[in-house]
Amino acid sequence: MQLTELQMGLIALGVVGVGAVIGYNLWQERRHRRTAERALGDAQPDVLIDPLHQPSRRVEPTLDFDLGSDLSSTASDTPVEPTIDLPTDEPLSAAADDTVQLAPQREPVLKAAPADDAAPAWADAKVEEVIVVELEAPIAATEFQRAWSELTRQVDTGLRLRGRDDQVGRWLELTPDTAGNLSRIEMAVQLADRRGPLGEASLSALAHALQAVADRFLAVVHFPDARDLLARARELDSFAASVDVQIGINLVAGEHPISGTKLRGLAEAQGFALDNGLFRARDDAGATLYTLGNLDAAEFIAETMKNLQTPGVTLLLDVPTVADGARNFDRMVMMAEQFAHALGARVVDDNRQPLSPASLGVIRGKIAEFQTRMTQFGVAPGSASARRLFS
């Protein structure tokens, strides 16, 4: 069957239309990619395709230090400074007006956070950076959470999110089950933890995820200056490493191994509960005060405790994550002596030497010194911020 001129014309018109749609989509993709590159520099890897660089892990100091030495030497080596090349002629602070009004035709973009935009009270400016996402129209919290979980599969940065529901006039902590309609989203980005500082690759992955949010929901993202943020993260990590000390007291069995059944009974009588391989003693708010672990590498398991025989256990105090560390150290020493008496064990240091009153006094003084430095820096020992930083 021969095609008529009308049919051939319609086919040609259809081909031209499909080509125009494809070309328009490619043009849009290139425009959005240029927007993201302006936020983090032209030479950034595509984190949606390339694997993230593994951050260097910070070694956590324990009691195996020379009590006569300067403990500030426990800080980890200064990491290689990551760089992000940002165009000097295109500063990120493009928004002159803090209140951004989006028209439906306006291109979604990443914008620099306003310089005078103070961090909200729910976030700690010492250990977190707040990124604001302004939505053109309210969206369901569940819809945003589904999209966000898909977009952040390669983001390994610690994040806390909350959203503003103007209909009820309050902020909502965002979880997969949060219900409500969001007009504004704020996320607190963790600047450092015990793995190390926020790195260039992680920040780039986060920026790509936020650009995708801007594209999908026609939103404006107030993104911070990348170089300043990475510098803050390195500074925070350097300080954290200098005060990151854990104090361990070992209880070594005497003539007979320590019975798991007896150990569990004593631990639970002192307020410990078995959790993830360790016995943990918690304060009234649920934060861990001490842990009791196996001197061997094996973890404690509830089902095998009755058959366990161990050569010893370790009581551990994580100095940055507890308030009033010196007093809690004194309590841990008393607890160790009680455990040792009941279990027929000896209280020793990491070199299997008895802990003298003089050495205990030195340790106590160092704990107070470290926690004073934390307070002066602006991160209170035992606070929620400290527990996030030293996690």
Side-chain angles (χ1 to χ4, degrees):
M1 182 180 74
Q2 293 185 344
L3 297 177
T4 66
E5 293 184 359
L6 175 61
Q7 290 173 326
M8 293 180 63
L10 291 175
I11 291 173
L13 183 61
V15 171
V16 172
V18 171
V21 171
I22 294 174
Y24 177 77
N25 288 338
L26 290 174
W27 175 71
Q28 286 281 67
E29 180 181 351
R30 291 181 58 190
R31 184 171 60 175
H32 294 328
R33 182 178 296 276
R34 287 197 300 270
T35 301
E37 289 175 348
R38 285 198 298 270
L40 283 176
D42 295 332
Q44 296 305 312
D46 189 343
V47 296
L48 300 179
I49 300 175
D50 301 329
L52 290 178
H53 302 295
Q54 293 298 322
S56 58
R57 293 183 176 273
R58 188 171 66 207
V59 177
E60 301 175 16
T62 56
L63 188 58
D64 55 350
F65 49 71
D66 182 355
L67 294 175
S69 66
D70 180 5
L71 295 190
S72 63
S73 63
T74 59
S76 64
D77 296 337
T78 303
V80 177
E81 182 173 317
T83 60
I84 290 184
D85 296 327
L86 292 175
T88 56
D89 57 341
E90 293 185 60
L92 288 178
S93 55
D97 188 351
D98 291 350
T99 304
V100 180
Q101 300 293 335
L102 273 180
Q105 297 82 9
R106 183 171 178 175
E107 179 185 351
V109 293
L110 292 179
K111 298 175 72 70
D116 59 348
D117 189 20
W122 73 288
D124 187 338
K126 276 289 184 180
V127 301
E128 296 171 307
E129 172 70 22
V130 174
I131 295 178
V132 178
V133 179
E134 296 184 6
L135 301 164
E136 181 196 17
I139 62 172
T142 52
E143 180 184 356
F144 174 80
Q145 282 293 94
R146 281 195 300 269
W148 185 243
S149 62
E150 294 173 3
L151 296 170
T152 55
R153 289 175 181 172
Q154 295 193 44
V155 176
D156 64 350
T157 304
L159 294 171
R160 296 188 302 119
L161 281 75
R162 70 173 185 172
R164 178 72 180 181
D165 188 332
D166 289 333
Q167 292 182 353
V168 297
R170 62 189 179 94
W171 290 94
L172 307 174
E173 180 184 359
L174 294 187
T175 69
D177 300 323
T178 300
N181 293 303
L182 310 178
S183 58
R184 177 185 174 99
I185 296 164
E186 294 181 348
M187 55 187 66
V189 182
Q190 183 89 11
L191 297 182
D193 56 27
R194 277 182 166 145
R195 297 174 300 172
L198 175 67
E200 178 181 353
S202 296
L203 188 60
S204 177
L206 178 60
H208 277 75
L210 287 169
Q211 180 63 55
V213 167
D215 293 343
R216 183 173 302 191
F217 299 112
L218 198 58
V220 171
V221 177
H222 296 283
F223 200 81
D225 181 87
R227 290 168 296 188
D228 291 346
L229 192 61
L230 292 174
R232 284 179 55 205
R234 293 192 298 270
E235 179 184 2
L236 176 64
D237 180 68
S238 178
F239 171 79
S242 73
V243 296
D244 191 0
V245 174
Q246 297 171 320
I247 306 297
I249 297 179
N250 298 317
L251 306 179
V252 177
E255 297 180 0
H256 305 286
I258 295 174
S259 162
T261 300
K262 191 171 185 179
L263 175 64
R264 183 174 185 175
L266 286 170
E268 291 178 348
Q270 291 286 349
F272 286 79
L274 187 56
D275 176 26
N276 197 25
L278 296 170
F279 286 98
R280 300 178 188 272
R282 303 180 185 273
D283 60 18
D284 294 338
T288 299
L289 290 173
Y290 319 103
T291 61
L292 178 67
N294 200 340
L295 197 58
D296 289 341
E299 295 182 342
F300 292 135
I301 302 175
E303 292 76 14
T304 60
M305 284 298 296
K306 62 181 180 181
N307 298 321
L308 176 71
Q309 300 288 319
T310 178
V313 295
T314 300
L315 276 166
L316 193 70
L317 177 71
D318 194 356
V319 174
T321 64
V322 299
D324 199 352
R327 182 175 64 87
N328 279 304
F329 174 69
D330 290 341
R331 290 179 57 193
M332 188 175 75
V333 171
M334 293 178 58
M335 191 181 303
E337 293 173 346
Q338 294 171 358
F339 271 69
H341 177 74
L343 297 172
R346 295 180 295 115
V347 178
V348 298
D349 61 16
D350 287 339
N351 297 317
R352 303 296 176 93
Q353 297 300 315
L355 285 168
S356 67
S359 62
L360 292 174
V362 171
I363 296 172
R364 190 182 192 277
K366 288 296 183 181
I367 291 173
E369 174 188 330
F370 284 132
Q371 293 205 330
T372 298
R373 288 169 56 188
M374 289 182 63
T375 301
Q376 292 173 344
F377 184 79
V379 179
S383 64
S385 295
R387 292 194 297 272
R388 285 193 290 268
L389 177 58
F390 295 95
S391 63

